[in-house]
Amino acid sequence: MAESWLYTGGNNSTTRDSTRVFNAKVNTEAKSQERSLDLPMDLGYGVVTGITKDTSGIPAGIKVLLTKRNNKPTSTVSDPIVAFPLSKDITKIPLINETVACIRLPITLGPGTSEQWYYFSSINSFDNVNNNLVGGVTYDRKGAYNGETFVSRQIPNMRLFEGDTLVNGRFGNTIRLGSTNADNDWSINGNNGSPITVLANGGGDLENLDSDPSSIYLTSDQSLPIYLKSPTPKSLTSLEQYSGTSQVVIAADKLVFYTKDGIGDIVISGKGTSYLMGKKVHLATNEWSNVDVTSLLDLVEELINQVNNLVTAKAVFAAPGGVTGAASNAALITKLRSDLALLKG
C-alpha cells in the first residue's frame, strides 16, 4: 500500500521528514489507547415453529428450528431455539413456517456474560407482502395456513418511486415517505423533491383517495385530486379544492373527532373561509339537542316571510269594532315557534 502523508501544520515545518515523525507519533499514541472486546457472535438461519408469550399473554419471541449456523448446515435438533426481536423500535412477529435470520449476542459485557438469540424480520423468500411461508417443516405450504387471527390474502406489492421509503404491513396497510413524482395522483403540482407522507389502509398497488378504505395525506406543495361529493358553496372554487400549498387530507367513509370523557375542546380555525358541508348538517349542545341546520334556516326564512307579509299589508291585524285583534297570519307564527321548539329538543 502506498504511504500517505498528512501535513498538520502543528510543528511549523512543511518538510516531509517532520511530517513523517509527527504521523508516527500520532499513530503510536492511538494504538496504545486501543482496546478490543472479544464479543462472541453466532449467526443462524431457520424456520419459525412457534410463538412465545410473556406473562401477560402478549407475543414476545419466536421458536426457530435452525438449519444453518455460521453458513454451515446443521442437523435438525428436537428443541428449537427461542429468539427475541433484535430491535423494539419496529417489531414484527413472523408467522409459523416463515424463515428468519438470527444472531446470538451477549446480553451484558464482562465476566459471566450470558447470551441470547435475536431475530431479524422474516425473510422475503417469495416476494409476498402477506406471507412467505415455506413448506416441508411444520405445515404443508400447499395447504391454506391460518393462525388464530391471521388469514392468508393476496396483497399487491406497492409501486415504488425514486427515493421512496415504504413501511409495509401484511394486510395492505402502508406508510409511504415519498416526494413529488409524475406517475402518481399526488403530483398534479409540486416541485421535484418536495416531501409527502401517505398513510393508507388497504387498497391496490398505489394509494388512491377515493378507492382506498381510509387514508391520510400530509403534503408540502402538491395538489390532490379531491372531488367533493357534498353540496358545494359557490364561493368554494376548484382552485381551493386543488390547493398547491401544504395541506392535510383525511379520507374515509366516516370521520369521527371526539374529546375523551366529553371534556375538552375541538377547535376548527381558518384564516380564510371555513366550510361545513353535507346533505344534512346537525348541531347539538346541552340546550339544543338536535338542530338540523337546513330546517333551522327554513324556519328563519319563513318567519321573515311572515313578518314581511305584515309590513307589506299582505297580512293584516283584525280590527272588529275598531279594536285591533290578532293578525291574520298569527296561526302561522305560532306554528313556527312550535317547530323551533322541536329543534331545541
Side-chain angles (χ1 to χ4, degrees):
M1 180 181 294
E3 188 174 14
S4 60
W5 299 95
L6 171 66
Y7 170 61
T8 64
N11 56 4
N12 296 321
S13 173
T14 59
T15 65
R16 176 171 293 187
D17 289 340
S18 61
T19 304
R20 186 199 302 272
V21 172
F22 179 83
N23 287 340
K25 181 180 179 182
V26 170
N27 292 335
T28 301
E29 291 177 350
K31 288 181 178 179
S32 66
Q33 297 175 3
E34 287 181 355
R35 297 290 185 271
S36 62
L37 293 175
D38 185 15
L39 297 179
M41 185 174 66
D42 195 3
L43 295 176
Y45 168 84
V47 179
V48 179
T49 61
I51 307 296
T52 64
K53 298 181 180 180
D54 61 17
T55 55
S56 301
I58 299 174
I62 58 175
K63 297 179 180 179
V64 183
L65 191 65
L66 295 178
T67 58
K68 286 188 177 183
R69 296 277 293 274
N70 291 327
N71 294 324
K72 295 180 180 180
T74 61
S75 59
T76 302
V77 294
S78 58
D79 296 326
I81 60 103
V82 175
F84 296 93
L86 182 63
S87 171
K88 292 293 287 186
D89 296 334
I90 298 179
T91 304
K92 182 177 181 180
I93 300 296
L95 298 174
I96 295 175
N97 232 38
E98 287 188 322
T99 54
V100 292
C102 299
I103 184 171
R104 186 168 63 176
L105 294 171
I107 298 176
T108 58
L109 301 178
T113 296
S114 58
E115 299 175 356
Q116 175 63 57
W117 281 99
Y118 301 93
Y119 70 88
F120 301 92
S121 176
S122 54
I123 294 174
N124 183 28
S125 303
F126 305 105
D127 196 30
N128 188 336
V129 174
N130 182 254
N131 69 79
N132 281 276
L133 304 175
V134 299
V137 181
T138 57
Y139 289 91
D140 181 1
R141 183 172 168 236
K142 295 181 180 179
Y145 165 70
N146 292 317
E148 295 180 3
T149 59
F150 175 81
V151 177
S152 179
R153 295 177 52 198
Q154 291 294 326
I155 302 296
N157 290 325
M158 295 296 292
R159 291 168 57 184
L160 290 172
F161 304 98
E162 189 176 31
D164 277 1
T165 297
L166 188 70
V167 179
N168 257 324
R170 293 183 184 271
F171 313 102
N173 33 8
T174 60
I175 300 176
R176 184 190 298 270
L177 308 176
S179 65
T180 301
N181 187 290
D183 296 326
N184 51 52
D185 287 342
W186 56 82
S187 297
I188 297 175
N189 293 318
N191 299 313
N192 289 336
S194 294
I196 187 169
T197 301
V198 184
L199 190 154
N201 190 39
D205 63 350
L206 185 65
E207 299 89 337
N208 185 283
L209 268 170
D210 287 321
S211 61
D212 290 342
S214 57
S215 57
I216 299 176
Y217 288 71
L218 307 177
T219 75
S220 51
D221 61 358
Q222 298 88 357
S223 296
L224 299 176
I226 302 173
Y227 304 101
L228 300 179
K229 307 300 190 300
S230 62
T232 305
K234 295 179 180 180
S235 57
L236 182 59
T237 64
S238 59
L239 178 63
E240 290 172 282
Q241 295 180 41
Y242 292 84
S243 172
T245 58
S246 63
Q247 56 185 328
V248 177
V249 178
I250 305 175
D253 293 331
K254 178 186 289 187
L255 302 179
V256 178
F257 301 90
Y258 77 103
T259 56
K260 295 185 297 182
D261 299 325
I263 60 176
D265 302 320
I266 293 178
V267 178
I268 300 176
S269 174
K271 188 176 181 180
T273 305
S274 297
Y275 295 92
L276 182 62
M277 298 170 287
K279 184 177 180 180
K280 288 283 187 180
V281 176
H282 293 259
L283 303 176
T285 68
N286 290 337
E287 293 79 19
W288 295 66
S289 61
N290 187 20
V291 180
D292 181 339
V293 174
T294 302
S295 298
L296 176 61
L297 292 177
D298 288 341
L299 284 172
V300 172
E301 181 181 32
E302 182 62 21
L303 179 60
I304 293 174
N305 288 337
Q306 295 305 322
V307 172
N308 181 67
N309 288 343
L310 285 174
V311 299
T312 59
K314 293 180 180 179
V316 295
F317 291 97
V323 180
T324 302
S328 59
N329 61 352
L332 292 174
I333 297 294
T334 300
K335 184 178 184 304
L336 289 175
R337 291 185 61 191
S338 176
D339 291 343
L340 185 60
L342 290 175
L343 283 181
K344 292 184 64 174

